[in-house]
Amino acid sequence: MMKNQTIEEKQYLVRFNADTKSHLHVLDPNICLTKCPDKICTIFCPASVYKWEEIRMHVGYEGCHECGSCRIGCPYENIKWEYPRGGHGIVFRLG
């Protein structure tokens, strides 16, 4: 019988072939600073790609799961999400 895995154990199976160019872009950093008190992208991203650092949003695109939640989750439509360039991005392993 297969043991149920925690989300952390499942995420451990994910590997990344990170590009040198980000496929995630905060369009207007001032919107994050002045209009978005909850910084909701830091909550809904399952990979914790978005981190608020005092006065700016840090985007750790290298660990993106490519789920697209930031594309639709930002209430200000302030995140531009694109697919990574060919050959880069997430690599799934079954386990």
Side-chain angles (χ1 to χ4, degrees), residues 48-60:
S48 300
V49 165
Y50 300 93
K51 302 247 188 270
W52 183 250
E53 296 178 343
E54 295 185 32
I55 61 167
R56 74 176 195 96
M57 187 62 68
H58 173 76
V59 182

Side-chain angles (χ1 to χ4, degrees), residues 72-89:
I72 59 172
C74 177
Y76 299 98
E77 298 180 353
N78 194 34
I79 298 173
K80 180 180 179 186
W81 185 96
E82 301 172 300
Y83 284 104
R85 292 189 304 172
H88 294 93

Side-chain angles (χ1 to χ4, degrees), residues 26-84:
V26 174
L27 299 174
D28 183 352
N30 197 46
I31 288 176
C32 301
L33 181 63
T34 61
K35 294 185 178 180
C36 189
D38 297 324
K39 314 297 185 257
I40 194 142
C41 61
T42 65
I43 299 167
F44 64 65
C45 176
S48 300
V49 165
Y50 300 93
K51 302 247 188 270
W52 183 250
E53 296 178 343
E54 295 185 32
I55 61 167
R56 74 176 195 96
M57 187 62 68
H58 173 76
V59 182
Y61 72 94
E62 302 89 347
C64 176
H65 290 186
E66 298 174 34
C67 67
S69 61
C70 58
R71 176 173 42 186
I72 59 172
C74 177
Y76 299 98
E77 298 180 353
N78 194 34
I79 298 173
K80 180 180 179 186
W81 185 96
E82 301 172 300
Y83 284 104

